[in-house]
Amino acid sequence: MINPREYIEPGSSWPLGHAVPDQPATHTVKLNINGQDVHLKIEPWVSLLDALREYIGLTGTKKGCDHGQCGACTVLVDGKRINSCLTLAVMKQGCEITTIEGLAKGDELHPMQEAFVEHDAYQCGYCTPGQICSAIGLINEGIANTRDEISELMSGNICRCGAYPHILDAIEQVKGVAGHE
Amino acid sequence: MSLLQKLGVSAENLAPEITGKYIGKPISRVDGRAKVTGNAKYAAEFNIGTGILYGYVISSPIAKGKITAVNARQALSQKGVLNVFTHENVPGLAWFDRSYQDQDAPPGGSPFRPLQSDEILFSQQPIALVIAETFELARYASTLVHFEYEVKEELNVGLELNLYKAKKPKKHRFPVPKPRGDAEKALAGSVVKIEEAYYHGYEHHNPMEMFASTVIYGDDDRLTIYDKTQGVLNSQSYVKSVFGLSEDEARVISPFMGGGFGAGLRPQYQLYMAVLASLELKRSVKVVLTRQQMFSFGHRPATLQKISLGASAEGKLQAVINRCYSETSTFEEYTENVVNWSGQMYQCDNVMLDHKLVPLDLFTPLDMRAPGGVTGMYALEVAIDELAVKAGIDPLEFRLLNYAEKDQNLDKPFSSKELRECYRQGAERFGWNKRNPEAGATLEGNNLVGWGVATGCWEANQMPSRAKAMLSADGKLTVSSATADIGTGTYTVMTQVAAETLGVAMEDVLFKLGDSVLPMSPLQGGSWTMATVGSAVKLVCDQLKAKLFKMAKKVENSPFGNSKEEDVVFADRCISLKEDAQQYLTFTEIMRKSKVNYIEEDTTSLPNMLEQNEYSRFTHSAVFVEVKVDQDLGTVHVSRVVNAVAAGRIINTKTSRSQVLGGIVWGISMALHEDTVMDDNFGRFMNTNLAEYHVPVNADINDIDVIFVEEHDDIVNPLGVKGLGEIGIVGVAAAISNAVYHATGKRVRDLPIQLDKLL
Ligand code: FES
Ligand code: FES
């Protein structure tokens, strides 16, 4: 009998990239992900998104289009939000990469994660990691002040389930608290 | 008399709110933590790093013809490429059509069989599967496979171009009611009438997660299949019958699904392909479609409705005629309920409805959120608005004037229908009584402002389902059913029902779903999951209660010796006497004293058809919309929506609100954004990506207000719920169209309303 909670416990260790045919094109790439160094033997055309999902097993970052059109793959690189599908892994050596898996501190969720749960800022949850990383990136940018501005600057992250008003509620809550600090 | 008084319902005579400890409360999702931490796993995310092979699908660039030659040599010469499957090397599989017919397949017809013939039936037909050690390699090698084609020139695409080929379906899934009265004559005799045609084009579901299947090939030659599906049992039975496997040889698992909206009601071809490759290579295989390929299967069919309505000078509806044409494929007859709504929504004695299909060289259409309902209600509700305008009556008043007290299609009363109250509460919240009756007359800066209203309706069905429950001596309850959670909140609401019924804390309940080894449950669709699986969960927990109480009565010195189940309360993991709460036994005590570690029940819940068949069972809503249309640019913004929904009992006000909200966003999308554009020369969709297939983004969505109107219904199912998956979208596109008319004085009758139609 399968227990669905099995799937949702964080993996304790990351499986390192599986066997790749030893083609002359593979390089060793060193990435710093969520504060941990990971060595991968991959081809230079592997996107950061595929490196995370298929080689490292960090599947929290989602693929919704692979073309920079949906935002599902948003991660933070040196605190800035980027589409990891439009970035090659090899280009991000020496950067600090933060994915959805790296936001919580142990059992304690990041305030943005808490706010998403509280405001039901999702349905299927597939766009959610991208929305959360994007929202944190947006707050880091410090440009969006009103609800309309947040809405405009969150428009690179599609949510087909249509959770937009709740996503704004969640971001406003986190921004409000952060603003008072 | 004010409009609201005319509605005749006051707030006082409403029954008290139904709530319990959990039911009816705004409870956060039990799987929320998994979703916000990235730990929720979707179909393509299992067993990473274990040497799974990658499959990449090649899609046909032509829409009709034959493959005359395949050359995969160059692809196969790449180190790490294991195979290229095409019609030339795919082994003989099941022969009969019925082996390929899944639970949502149209009756009759020949379901599409991937890679089994050289014939091309539609553009983007999957024609090969490349299997390689890495995704990058499979994708690269796919560019090295060469095909030659014989293109068939004569191509049937474009609904309106092919109307002359329309024919009645052999079997309609929703039989069109026979005419009543004499609609033609009544129309001729009507003082006020309209005759118009309403159209919307192709739409694709586009859930955020692309279709994916990961097939794990076990040491014992058994397959564990992680599939993106709205029904693990549907995927399992498809795989079993197509590949001749037994139940034990193919287990299908789907704990999370990144959106379905109907797309996952039929097994998509990546499942077939991944299983095929896995069985042939005896290896684990993963196949994920690309976003472009998400446009290569079922879609909402382009539909044209020719509607004639007639009314008396006082605005009484006298005639309704709806002649509908929708597309299907050349190999299956897809039908949905488009026209029946026209005979049901308003009181009218003369009705004629008709629905014909036009076969096109496309993939078979597929149920897409509120299939048929959004289409039929869009056209009807715009037509009603036009008639009200002609009659010079406020469109909301016009609807009340023709309010249907019973379902004339079925000649049955409604099991419940709080639509009047939806109109009343929605109108009040929206401020409808301040509406300027004149169209094109309200200017705000450079924007024309318009207000529109429409009605929504969807079925409230219950299906048979099984559920299992196990209570262990430590007071933990595990409940399971092979249903799905496609974002609907199934994990959460079932946990609520189980906890409430048995009197345990939600934290002590584990609800399992999405696994073919679990008890039978139907596809997740049709807005019936809460009614269906919820009823099964309640029933099985009730049976568990009875069993536990029976045991409690037998333990030594039981305080319940002479009591009946009605005399006791189940709460906080205890049974106690109603009369004297000090007299109690904990669940743990009962089981210890009875020397058991757990108790278990497994049950089947069946709808009470005898009773239900006496009634017409539907969910209703009233949608109010404000739009702002830029005078110079013709851009439309939906600035406000109020959607008042009567859907029976609401189990979780938080997730329910999200569901309706999402439905409204879909309605806005249908009205203003979504459209898959066909190149009629090549028979190919042109905008197969999320940059050109528009869906709303955050900035497109403004103020949305959802009202749940109290509604009590003992008929629909034991929980009194009606389901919320579809009702939120129905009526929204019509309300927006009507608001655009009110803003601009221009009536647009084909969706989406893009700016060129207003300039
Ligand atoms: S997957 Fe990167 S933007 Fe869609
Ligand atoms: S939660 Fe489903 S796409 Fe956003």
Side-chain angles (χ1 to χ4, degrees):
Chain A
M1 180 86 40
I2 198 100
N3 171 355
R5 288 196 182 157
E6 266 166 32
Y7 310 130
I8 60 191
E9 290 308 329
S12 50
S13 66
W14 299 340
L16 204 55
H18 62 270
V20 174
D22 200 11
Q23 303 221 343
T26 55
H27 291 263
T28 301
V29 172
K30 186 175 131 192
L31 296 175
N32 184 281
I33 300 168
N34 302 330
Q36 197 174 326
D37 278 341
V38 184
H39 299 260
L40 294 174
K41 220 171 140 200
I42 51 174
E43 291 146 332
W45 47 80
V46 174
S47 72
L48 178 57
L49 174 60
D50 288 327
L52 291 169
R53 283 175 64 82
E54 307 298 338
Y55 294 86
I56 305 172
L58 286 176
T59 53
T61 308
K62 305 302 182 197
K63 185 184 280 191
C65 69
D66 222 2
H67 281 76
Q69 298 172 340
C70 77
C73 63
T74 307
V75 297
L76 296 163
V77 174
D78 295 333
K80 290 205 181 84
R81 47 180 176 161
I82 63 154
N83 287 342
S84 61
C85 71
L86 292 185
T87 311
L88 300 175
V90 60
M91 294 157 64
K92 296 300 167 196
Q93 303 192 80
C95 300
E96 271 182 33
I97 301 163
T98 308
T99 70
I100 191 74
E101 290 92 343
L103 293 178
K105 290 198 188 83
D107 270 354
E108 196 190 325
L109 294 180
H110 185 283
M112 193 63 80
Q113 292 172 312
E114 287 280 9
F116 265 64
V117 175
E118 186 183 328
H119 291 278
D120 210 43
Y122 46 46
Q123 281 196 64
C124 73
Y126 198 79
C127 74
T128 309
Q131 301 277 2
I132 290 175
C133 288
S134 190
I136 294 171
L138 170 119
I139 290 182
N140 291 346
E141 287 157 17
I143 315 170
N145 291 311
T146 63
R147 191 171 168 100
D148 280 354
E149 284 167 2
I150 299 173
S151 179
E152 184 66 34
L153 292 173
M154 281 301 291
S155 286
N157 290 80
I158 295 176
C159 175
R160 183 57 159 161
C161 295
Y164 298 126
H166 289 173
I167 292 170
L168 292 184
D169 292 344
I171 299 174
E172 276 193 317
Q173 175 179 312
V174 177
K175 250 189 77 69
V177 173
H180 290 136
E181 274 170 6
Chain B
M1 198 158 56
S2 86
L3 183 65
L4 299 181
Q5 280 169 324
K6 265 190 236 167
L7 288 165
V9 185
S10 74
E12 291 89 73
N13 51 29
L14 291 176
E17 229 183 309
I18 324 165
T19 51
K21 185 159 180 216
Y22 297 119
I23 291 187
K25 295 284 163 62
I27 288 173
S28 295
R29 288 172 203 250
V30 297
D31 52 341
R33 199 182 174 89
K35 283 178 175 169
V36 301
T37 52
N39 290 317
K41 282 204 187 292
Y42 300 81
E45 302 174 350
F46 290 87
N47 297 40
I48 307 282
T50 56
I52 296 181
L53 299 174
Y54 288 81
Y56 196 88
V57 177
I58 304 179
S59 309
S60 166
I62 69 161
K64 200 174 184 179
K66 246 186 175 64
I67 301 170
T68 53
V70 186
N71 184 345
R73 232 173 343 171
Q74 209 187 340
L76 287 166
S77 71
Q78 300 290 309
K79 194 173 164 201
V81 173
L82 276 91
N83 208 341
V84 176
F85 291 98
T86 67
H87 68 279
E88 291 190 342
N89 60 359
V90 161
L93 292 169
W95 180 251
F96 294 108
D97 279 335
R98 66 166 181 275
S99 305
Y100 296 80
Q101 260 151 1
D102 63 277
Q103 291 173 22
D104 195 37
S110 306
F112 171 64
R113 305 176 180 193
L115 311 184
Q116 288 194 35
S117 148
D118 57 357
E119 222 185 320
I120 305 287
L121 300 169
F122 54 94
S123 176
Q124 277 195 297
Q125 175 175 320
I127 50 174
L129 177 71
V130 181
I131 300 286
E133 298 276 0
T134 69
F135 168 66
E136 290 74 21
L137 189 54
R139 180 178 56 187
Y140 170 61
S142 75
T143 65
L144 304 176
V145 185
H146 298 286
F147 290 90
E148 279 170 32
Y149 309 93
E150 189 184 290
V151 178
K152 252 199 208 143
E153 294 299 340
E154 160 233 352
L155 193 62
N156 302 318
V157 289
L159 180 70
E160 280 159 298
L161 295 172
N162 290 285
L163 278 189
Y164 66 97
K165 295 202 182 86
K167 54 172 193 204
K168 272 215 180 323
K170 280 193 211 84
K171 192 162 182 225
H172 205 298
R173 285 194 294 169
F174 304 86
V176 175
K178 292 205 172 63
R180 62 175 183 259
D182 187 338
E184 295 285 1
K185 201 168 133 202
L187 183 69
S190 293
V191 187
V192 191
K193 55 184 133 182
I194 62 122
E195 294 190 67
E196 296 295 349
Y198 304 87
Y199 174 82
H200 72 67
Y202 320 94
E203 293 172 14
H204 284 79
H205 308 71
N206 278 304
M208 287 312 292
E209 179 200 17
M210 272 104 62
F211 272 90
S213 300
T214 305
V215 179
I216 306 300
Y217 195 90
D219 295 335
D220 47 3
D221 295 337
R222 294 180 179 186
L223 307 183
T224 305
I225 304 166
Y226 299 95
D227 187 34
K228 178 182 169 85
T229 176
Q230 287 172 244
V232 283
L233 295 174
N234 192 30
S235 294
Q236 187 194 38
S237 63
Y238 176 82
V239 167
K240 271 165 52 188
S241 60
V242 170
F243 295 96
L245 301 177
S246 72
E247 208 163 283
D248 297 337
E249 287 168 326
R251 173 178 177 188
V252 179
I253 300 176
S254 175
F256 291 97
M257 191 198 195
F261 314 114
L265 289 175
R266 298 190 71 178
Q268 296 302 355
Y269 59 77
Q270 90 291 335
L271 171 65
Y272 170 100
M273 296 208 156
V275 171
L276 170 83
S278 178
L279 289 173
E280 284 300 301
L281 301 170
K282 299 196 186 303
R283 292 276 303 267
S284 298
V285 175
K286 163 156 93 179
V287 180
V288 184
L289 299 188
T290 64
R291 180 53 64 186
Q292 283 62 31
Q293 288 164 346
M294 293 295 284
F295 293 81
S296 65
F297 45 80
H299 53 276
R300 195 190 294 291
T303 306
L304 177 74
Q305 294 169 79
K306 296 183 175 173
I307 296 190
S308 308
L309 301 178
S312 68
E314 298 75 43
K316 276 279 183 197
L317 204 54
Q318 288 173 331
V320 174
I321 298 172
N322 186 348
R323 290 191 180 89
C324 168
Y325 303 86
S326 63
E327 41 134 345
T328 187
S329 64
T330 53
F331 45 94
E332 285 173 310
E333 284 195 337
Y334 172 83
T335 52
E336 54 186 28
N337 173 10
V338 182
V339 295
N340 301 12
W341 314 96
S342 290
Q344 178 197 325
M345 290 312 298
Y346 299 100
Q347 159 72 34
C348 184
D349 295 333
N350 303 291
V351 175
M352 206 289 291
L353 308 171
D354 187 37
H355 187 182
K356 289 201 173 77
L357 297 182
V358 180
L360 300 179
D361 293 318
L362 294 175
F363 197 89
T364 312
L366 173 58
D367 293 331
M368 179 162 158
R369 205 166 195 177
V374 273
T375 303
M377 288 296 286
Y378 152 69
L380 175 69
E381 287 295 300
V382 175
I384 286 284
D385 196 74
E386 298 204 47
L387 195 64
V389 169
K390 265 210 173 164
I393 299 173
D394 175 273
L396 181 55
E397 283 207 51
F398 189 88
R399 286 172 169 82
L400 288 165
L401 208 56
N402 293 290
Y403 195 84
E405 298 293 353
K406 70 167 189 181
D407 182 338
Q408 285 182 288
N409 277 356
L410 302 174
D411 195 24
K412 286 177 188 172
F414 291 103
S415 61
S416 62
K417 181 180 175 182
E418 293 292 349
L419 177 58
R420 271 207 184 83
E421 191 56 21
C422 295
Y423 287 140
R424 190 189 72 81
Q425 290 187 22
E428 193 174 78
R429 184 78 61 89
F430 189 81
W432 184 260
N433 56 7
K434 294 191 217 76
R435 182 178 184 263
N436 180 349
E438 213 175 311
T442 311
L443 202 60
E444 206 185 274
N446 201 41
N447 285 327
L448 290 159
V449 183
W451 289 3
V453 65
T455 314
C457 190
W458 187 254
E459 313 157 334
N461 281 340
Q462 185 194 354
M463 310 290 279
S465 173
R466 284 180 54 210
K468 193 169 163 175
M470 188 193 81
L471 180 70
S472 56
D474 59 0
K476 303 268 186 224
L477 175 66
T478 307
V479 185
S480 57
S481 184
T483 181
D485 189 334
I486 61 176
T488 43
T490 315
Y491 280 118
T492 310
V493 288
M494 297 307 160
T495 304
Q496 286 174 262
V497 171
E500 185 86 50
T501 309
L502 207 65
V504 294
M506 275 185 71
E507 296 70 47
D508 289 330
V509 180
L510 175 65
F511 183 74
K512 297 181 185 181
L513 54 70
D515 188 336
S516 60
V517 301
L518 299 176
M520 182 283 292
S521 144
L523 283 164
Q524 179 166 48
S527 289
W528 63 49
T529 302
M530 192 68 241
T532 300
V533 183
S535 296
V537 167
K538 182 168 184 339
L539 184 66
V540 79
C541 290
D542 277 334
Q543 290 180 357
L544 210 54
K545 263 166 94 171
K547 194 174 205 170
L548 192 62
F549 183 60
K550 223 166 147 191
M551 281 168 62
K553 282 175 68 149
K554 285 196 197 131
V555 305
E556 218 182 322
N557 302 328
S558 170
F560 313 123
N562 301 316
S563 333
K564 297 210 175 72
E565 210 181 312
E566 316 67 282
D567 306 329
V568 298
V569 189
F570 286 71
D572 305 325
R573 287 200 233 168
C574 294
I575 306 181
S576 59
L577 275 178
K578 265 187 197 155
E579 303 280 272
D580 179 3
Q582 292 312 311
Q583 298 294 320
Y584 70 90
L585 283 175
T586 67
F587 293 175
T588 309
E589 278 175 309
I590 299 168
M591 283 195 247
R592 288 247 166 81
K593 289 185 177 167
S594 313
K595 302 203 168 35
V596 296
N597 292 325
Y598 65 90
I599 56 170
E600 205 170 29
E601 279 291 323
D602 187 340
T603 196
T604 304
S605 134
L606 297 170
N608 181 348
M609 289 320 291
L610 221 58
E611 185 177 47
Q612 291 186 4
N613 280 340
E614 298 291 306
Y615 296 89
S616 169
R617 292 158 284 121
F618 287 90
T619 312
H620 295 89
S621 69
V623 193
F624 297 83
V625 165
E626 177 185 86
V627 299
K628 294 187 175 162
V629 184
D630 187 295
Q631 282 201 99
D632 302 320
L633 302 175
T635 46
V636 181
H637 288 282
V638 177
S639 41
R640 245 169 6 109
V641 181
V642 174
N643 195 347
V645 177
R649 180 188 292 202
I650 304 302
I651 299 293
N652 183 333
T653 48
K654 194 181 265 195
T655 55
S656 293
R657 190 186 133 80
S658 290
Q659 250 186 316
V660 175
L661 203 83
I664 296 167
V665 172
W666 269 64
I668 294 171
S669 190
M670 180 184 189
L672 304 176
H673 301 273
E674 266 177 73
D675 195 16
T676 327
V677 187
M678 169 63 65
D679 179 329
D680 288 339
N681 291 318
F682 293 106
R684 184 192 291 164
F685 291 122
M686 296 189 284
N687 53 339
T688 57
N689 61 75
L690 291 175
E692 291 161 294
Y693 183 87
H694 291 175
V695 298
V697 296
N698 206 313
D700 292 313
I701 303 303
N702 294 296
D703 195 8
I704 298 180
D705 209 340
V706 178
I707 302 172
F708 290 114
V709 170
E710 285 271 354
E711 188 174 61
H712 301 274
D713 196 322
D714 301 330
I715 309 293
V716 278
N717 55 67
L719 288 170
V721 300
K722 284 185 171 178
L724 290 163
E726 347 259 333
I727 188 65
I729 180 177
V730 188
V732 177
I736 293 172
S737 302
N738 297 342
V740 167
Y741 168 78
H742 184 237
T744 62
K746 282 186 197 145
R747 187 64 75 172
V748 180
R749 299 186 186 86
D750 64 320
L751 299 180
I753 305 172
Q754 285 159 335
L755 47 87
D756 54 317
K757 295 176 189 168
L758 291 170
L759 292 175

